Amino acid sequence: MAEVGNELQRHAAEEHQAQTDGFHLVIDALKLNGIENIYGLPGIPVTDLARLAQANGMRVISFRHEQNAGNAAAIAGFLTQKPGVCLTVSAPGFLNGLTALANATTNCFPMILISGSSEREIVDLQQGDYEEMDQLAVARPHCKAAFRVLHAEDIGVGVARAIRAAVSGRPGGVYLDLPAKLLAQSMEAEKGRKSLIKVVDPAPRQIPAPDAVDRAVELLKGAKRPLILLGKGAAYARADADIRALVEKTGIPYLPMSMAKGLLPDTHPQSASAARSYVLAEADVVLLVGARLNWLLSHGKGKTWGKPKQFIQVDISPTEIDSNVAIAAPVIGDIGSCVAALLDKIGNGFAKPGAEWLNAVDERKDKNLAKMAETLAKEASPMNFHGALRVLKDVVKANPGISFVNEGANTLDYARAVIDMYEPRKRLDVGTWGVMGVGMGYAVAAAVETSKPVLAVCGDSAFGFSGMEVETICRYDLPICIVVFNNNGVYKGIDKNPTGGKDPAVTMFVPGARYDKMMEAFGGVGHNVTTPAELEAAVNEALRSGRPTLINAVIDPAAGTESGRLTNLNPQSSASK
Ligand code: ADP
Ligand code: TPW
């Protein structure tokens, strides 16, 4: 009898083993495609999905707010060329993640937002389900593509389509809608396994047309005052060696956009960063590599761009061309293939730019670098932005492999100018939208994806958007050192309520706040520093120990300007100047 019982049990177990379900298929499909990490926040109906993912060897990082998980996924995409995955619950959780998905799309970072959702039957009749929302319709205008899977046997296709849409062509955000019922659907394990797709060549190379390459090289050869402008698309493309070769072979001065800093070390003799205004205004031919002529480049026109010029634009997206000004020589393809083709065409026959142009650039650079050194050397008390940044500049120089996350207004603008980067994809910042709140999400993902320390330098306002994630950082014991530049407010901390009333001015925070205590509350290390020397000691200790650290760096509340260097976009404040 006992034997028969055992036999029945074994049989039942085999039957059971032979089944799979939506939960397992989603995880298997992600793993099959080399996706190892999920950034998310659990709840009905995705808690079990997250649990199973962890049980099946994926790394699941649970956040305190979905926007931060989404930002982590987005930057993971930028860092790895694989879509970063964010997992949220329905309606509010989904919406919290959606800002990050839109930000990823705007920045051309590959990401997949996976959200659980209510059943179609109920949503479409608006019958009032728990956290009901037509998420697919809401997501669609904010991402590159949006898909919903209704049947377990389509999960493989859904995940494959999401991956391809995220990483091919211009990368971006993809929404994948998974109704709760789908996750629980079961099907035969073998059939399920066969339904999964391992995506072959998800971001195919796109070779530029030879005549486009010829046109670009001709234009470049005829230039008297050429300039190369590298954007974060160039950093993303991982064509580091060829990009360096292009710059060095042509001898053309180059400017990195902020997240392209470090693609070549900022100390490279051909870097024109310290002569930015001069080269933008004076250049006659500009070669754009993975950079859009958007607001960050004054739309390619106006006073910033001074003298008339012709543009060569290397980009994967043909519709980017002529979006702001006429592009004389578009080169459409992936940056790796385009830069290789340009190098090939140039061969050894490229005459470097004339001494007149190079000397003029160097002269401006030397003058501005001397001015900057003077500003940095000043011992201001109380500590100001430059005093604090002087020591951080040396810290990054001594630790070039760390990721440097940066957000704020003055904190961002000054740090970008002062802190040299030495390696590609190490500077992670507010990007195309100039969005606050990416700090902790970016810091967590940078630590997870690179397994190296992270230094996050945030304005006190900027930090507040994602500050609760210090708990996440402590929970996962990540080697992240946060420096909050605390000047008591947004931009600065001396504004007064114009009515003289009791309420504080709209840009003010609690004076003398101690952000370091937040980190201590969760078992991390907190420091309160008021001098550059104290700051330096605290950061070095954090990098040495690898422990989660938050340094509250007290900055003169009167230092800083409205909107940092965006003042010209703020009509009220420009009017008052
Ligand atoms: P930045 O803000 O640094 O100026 P942008 O985000 O404006 O950079 O521009 C990045 C550009 O790079 C986008 O137009 C995008 O289409 C392009 N791009 C991204 N990845 C690639 C790639 N692998 N090959 C070619 N172009 C790319
Ligand atoms: C999502 C508007 C731009 S910069 C900034 C805000 C609120 C904060 C600046 O103060 P902070 O830095 O961080 O203390 P500093 O160095 O000048 O003192 N909401 C979003 N994004 C943006 N960009 C804003 C508001 C803004």
Side-chain angles (χ1 to χ4, degrees):
M1 272 311 271
E3 249 171 55
V4 174
N6 285 346
E7 179 65 16
L8 277 177
Q9 258 177 6
R10 211 179 59 231
H11 197 68
E14 271 171 15
E15 283 264 277
H16 184 68
Q17 271 172 12
Q19 290 290 306
T20 187
D21 59 21
F23 290 106
H24 286 90
L25 287 168
V26 171
I27 292 158
D28 291 348
L30 293 172
K31 283 180 65 177
L32 182 66
N33 284 290
I35 293 172
E36 292 157 358
N37 302 322
I38 292 181
Y39 301 92
L41 204 157
I44 299 171
V46 294
T47 315
D48 284 342
L49 187 60
R51 282 198 185 112
L52 265 175
Q54 192 172 45
N56 279 274
M58 293 186 83
R59 187 148 195 218
V60 182
I61 308 289
S62 276
F63 282 74
R64 303 299 296 259
H65 189 288
E66 291 88 349
Q67 189 177 119
N68 307 320
N71 285 325
I75 211 68
F78 172 74
L79 290 170
T80 63
Q81 288 186 326
K82 282 192 263 182
V85 170
C86 174
L87 180 66
T88 79
V89 300
S90 44
F94 154 78
L95 284 175
N96 285 345
L98 188 61
T99 308
L101 187 71
N103 185 53
T105 308
T106 300
N107 281 284
C108 316
F109 299 158
M111 163 183 175
I112 302 174
L113 173 65
I114 300 179
S115 298
S117 62
S118 305
E119 306 319 331
R120 291 255 31 93
E121 299 85 333
I122 300 177
V123 174
D124 289 350
L125 279 171
Q126 300 180 12
Q127 293 176 308
D129 207 357
Y130 166 70
E131 297 192 347
E132 173 189 301
M133 174 176 275
D134 187 356
Q135 295 164 197
L136 194 72
V138 173
R140 197 159 263 144
H142 303 291
C143 57
K144 220 182 135 184
F147 304 105
R148 173 163 43 229
V149 183
L150 291 176
H151 304 292
E153 61 264 34
D154 291 333
I155 286 173
V157 169
V159 170
R161 299 213 72 189
I163 292 172
R164 277 197 188 279
V167 299
S168 63
R170 172 182 278 177
V174 175
Y175 175 60
L176 188 59
D177 192 83
L178 302 183
K181 229 164 43 184
L182 167 85
L183 294 171
Q185 268 177 34
S186 62
M187 69 184 286
E188 249 177 63
E190 183 56 15
K191 254 181 151 175
R193 197 180 57 76
K194 286 192 178 145
S195 72
L196 300 183
I197 295 175
K198 185 166 165 52
V199 178
V200 176
D201 196 12
R205 284 178 2 156
Q206 296 188 25
I207 315 288
D211 56 331
V213 175
D214 292 352
R215 192 187 296 122
V217 171
E218 280 316 302
L219 191 54
L220 207 54
K221 278 186 172 164
K224 294 260 173 307
R225 299 180 306 279
L227 173 68
I228 295 176
L229 224 155
L230 303 173
K232 58 172 139 30
Y236 173 78
R238 291 184 172 260
D240 308 343
D242 272 359
I243 287 173
R244 187 175 186 139
L246 181 72
V247 170
E248 291 182 343
K249 256 189 158 176
T250 58
I252 296 174
Y254 76 95
L255 270 185
M257 297 299 287
S258 93
M259 281 179 63
K261 276 165 70 78
L263 203 42
L264 288 86
D266 280 334
T267 47
H268 193 283
Q270 283 171 255
S271 167
S273 289
R276 189 174 192 276
S277 320
Y278 179 76
V279 290
L280 287 180
E282 294 292 321
D284 64 348
V285 173
V286 179
L287 166 58
L288 299 160
V289 184
R292 287 169 285 186
L293 285 173
N294 56 15
W295 69 281
L296 288 160
L297 284 169
S298 309
H299 304 282
K301 51 197 168 195
K303 225 171 72 195
T304 308
W305 290 90
K307 293 192 176 147
K309 56 203 73 215
Q310 289 184 292
F311 289 99
I312 303 164
Q313 185 161 21
V314 175
D315 206 289
I316 203 153
S317 169
T319 52
E320 184 56 38
I321 306 305
D322 301 333
S323 57
N324 285 272
V325 293
I327 301 297
V331 183
I332 303 304
D334 70 277
I335 285 170
S337 301
C338 292
V339 172
L342 290 170
L343 270 174
D344 198 40
K345 177 76 192 165
I346 283 164
N348 291 321
F350 195 89
K352 297 202 170 178
E356 201 183 326
W357 173 233
L358 297 183
N359 291 342
V361 176
D362 280 346
E363 209 176 286
R364 287 295 185 307
K365 246 177 88 169
D366 293 347
K367 207 168 86 191
N368 290 338
L369 286 173
K371 231 192 289 176
M372 172 71 84
E374 212 176 285
T375 310
L376 287 176
K378 277 186 195 140
E379 272 305 340
S381 180
M383 179 160 67
N384 61 13
F385 288 101
H386 284 97
L389 288 170
R390 180 181 68 228
V391 299
L392 296 182
K393 178 185 170 86
D394 290 342
V395 166
V396 174
K397 188 175 179 184
N399 301 276
I402 64 176
S403 295
F404 184 77
V405 173
N406 194 198
E407 60 177 344
N410 296 280
T411 304
L412 178 93
D413 291 329
Y414 292 135
R416 186 180 55 233
V418 168
I419 297 188
D420 290 327
M421 303 305 298
Y422 300 86
E423 293 182 12
R425 296 169 293 281
K426 295 300 184 195
R427 186 184 156 86
L428 311 172
D429 69 25
V430 300
T432 304
W433 265 350
V435 64
M436 298 299 113
V438 292
M440 296 307 105
Y442 281 13
V444 168
V448 168
E449 300 291 340
T450 68
S451 304
K452 292 203 179 125
V454 178
L455 177 61
V457 178
C458 310
D460 46 347
S461 166
F463 172 71
F465 286 72
S466 65
M468 192 62 208
E469 302 302 342
V470 293
E471 189 277 331
T472 308
I473 291 167
C474 288
R475 188 165 16 108
Y476 288 90
D477 193 22
L478 297 171
I480 295 174
C481 172
I482 305 157
V483 179
V484 175
F485 277 6
N486 185 358
N487 60 356
N488 293 349
V490 179
Y491 313 132
K492 43 178 148 185
I494 51 171
D495 280 3
K496 298 266 179 294
N497 179 338
T499 70
K502 186 169 165 294
D503 281 354
V506 295
T507 55
M508 290 294 290
F509 293 148
V510 169
R514 292 286 303 276
Y515 293 95
D516 49 314
K517 302 274 184 198
M518 288 176 66
M519 190 59 108
E520 287 175 357
F522 301 106
V525 179
H527 293 280
N528 184 55
V529 304
T530 57
T531 66
E534 286 171 2
L535 173 61
E536 187 177 20
V539 178
N540 281 329
E541 185 193 314
L543 292 179
R544 230 184 349 259
S545 73
R547 293 195 58 201
T549 300
L550 194 152
I551 302 166
N552 184 60
V554 180
I555 300 286
D556 184 354
T561 58
E562 179 89 8
S563 304
R565 287 175 54 201
L566 281 183
T567 318
N568 60 342
L569 294 181
N570 189 342
Q572 192 59 37
S573 90
S574 359
S576 64
K577 276 190 188 269

